[in-house]
Amino acid sequence: MLWLTSGLGCDGESIALTAARNPTFEDLQRGAFPGMPPLIIHNPVFAYETGEEFMAPWAAAAAGRLGAFILVVEGALANEQLSGDGHWAAFGVDAASGQPITTTRWIDRLAPHAGAVIAMGTCAAYGGIPAMRNNPTGAMGVRDYLGPGWTSGRDVPLVNVPGCPVQPDNITETLVHVALHLARAGPMLELDEQARPRWLFGRTVQQGCGRAGFAEQGEFARTPADTRGCLVKLGCKGPVAMCNVPIRGWTGGVGGCPNVGGICIGCTM
């Protein structure tokens, strides 16, 4: 698995990955599930290797010598056509030219050889905060860059796993499903119209929220400090945002935006 963190993002998904409990990051690396090989994860946040040693698998993948790897993209993709003589996001150095290799150039090199591509996080899925109006980077999501009908050589469509950051277990569970499919030990993911795993994003925040009953009774919170009442009149996007955080919690079933009194900001949309 090649985990590209050089998009316009904050490494939030890489850090969230360490908090996963079911399955854990370690479960993935040990191959703890029947039929799934151990995942060798090349992520610059966790790597011991540096320099040319770390870049070797990336070069092998770009040359088509790595097999059916999973490419995970974290962060929005900048439109380098708008950058003039410079660049906004790059990773590694091109041996021939001595110039940094831009993130979009990595996508061009790696996506044709990947068994699957996963856009991990809201920035990678939709462009996120970097794609706001007046941002000079022209940032966009991976799906916008590759095209909505893109599929890998294994006929796997792009998978979007949005969240800011993604709920930790949503990360590892998706990786397990994709790895099992590529190992021919599991079915293809069922995705919704936004290319999200349907089993994770199949119901709204409100449908799983512990405060949902207050809305039914017409009882609404007036301030964020209120422990009673639905938060929708404070700006909560729970009735429309598709997200399982209220049900799943954040780490070990504990926490999650509405569970701790925060409004849903619709980051998975």
Side-chain angles (χ1 to χ4, degrees):
M1 181 185 301
L2 301 182
W3 192 300
L4 189 63
T5 63
S6 62
L8 303 176
C10 63
D11 292 348
E13 280 65 51
S14 293
I15 303 305
L17 176 62
T18 67
R21 294 292 180 270
N22 187 31
T24 67
F25 185 24
E26 294 76 13
D27 287 338
L28 301 184
Q29 297 177 92
R30 294 168 180 160
F33 299 91
M36 189 189 83
L39 294 183
I40 302 171
I41 301 175
H42 298 281
N43 180 317
V45 177
F46 308 122
Y48 288 102
E49 304 84 1
T50 59
E52 292 183 5
E53 183 182 2
F54 176 75
M55 295 304 301
W58 300 80
R65 301 194 304 268
L66 204 62
F69 62 92
I70 300 171
L71 174 63
V72 178
V73 182
E74 181 176 344
L77 302 183
N79 184 351
E80 304 295 350
Q81 302 295 322
L82 305 175
S83 65
D85 293 329
H87 64 272
W88 283 297
F91 175 62
V93 176
D94 187 280
S97 67
Q99 295 298 309
I101 304 173
T102 63
T103 306
T104 49
R105 184 65 180 140
W106 276 117
I107 301 294
D108 294 339
R109 292 180 177 183
L110 297 174
H113 301 294
V117 176
I118 303 175
M120 194 69 75
T122 296
C123 290
Y126 307 129
I129 291 173
M132 292 174 68
R133 184 179 297 176
N134 296 328
N135 189 312
T137 65
M140 67 187 76
V142 179
R143 193 184 193 192
D144 293 324
Y145 185 77
L146 291 176
W150 184 90
T151 59
S152 74
R154 288 285 192 92
D155 202 29
V156 178
L158 173 73
V159 179
N160 280 335
V161 189
C164 192
V166 180
Q167 198 277 349
D169 291 347
N170 285 356
I171 297 176
T172 52
E173 192 172 321
T174 300
L175 296 179
V176 166
H177 276 265
V178 174
L180 285 172
H181 178 66
L182 292 182
R184 307 188 191 283
M188 176 50 201
L189 295 158
E190 183 182 353
L191 306 177
D192 67 12
E193 66 282 354
Q194 292 190 28
R196 300 170 300 192
R198 191 176 295 277
W199 83 93
L200 297 178
F201 299 94
R203 58 171 124 180
T204 67
V205 168
Q206 189 178 50
Q207 287 173 328
C209 180
R211 292 178 179 247
F214 288 120
E216 209 170 281
Q217 299 298 321
E219 190 173 344
F220 299 94
R222 297 183 179 182
T223 74
D226 291 347
T227 57
R228 293 178 57 85
C230 175
L231 297 167
V232 69
K233 291 191 176 181
L234 298 178
C236 183
K237 306 295 185 186
V240 295
M242 312 299 285
C243 182
N244 65 348
V245 164
I247 300 170
R248 189 160 228 178
W250 196 258
T251 301
V254 177
C257 315
N259 296 345
V260 295
I263 65 169
C264 170
I265 62 171
C267 72
T268 58
M269 305 291 279

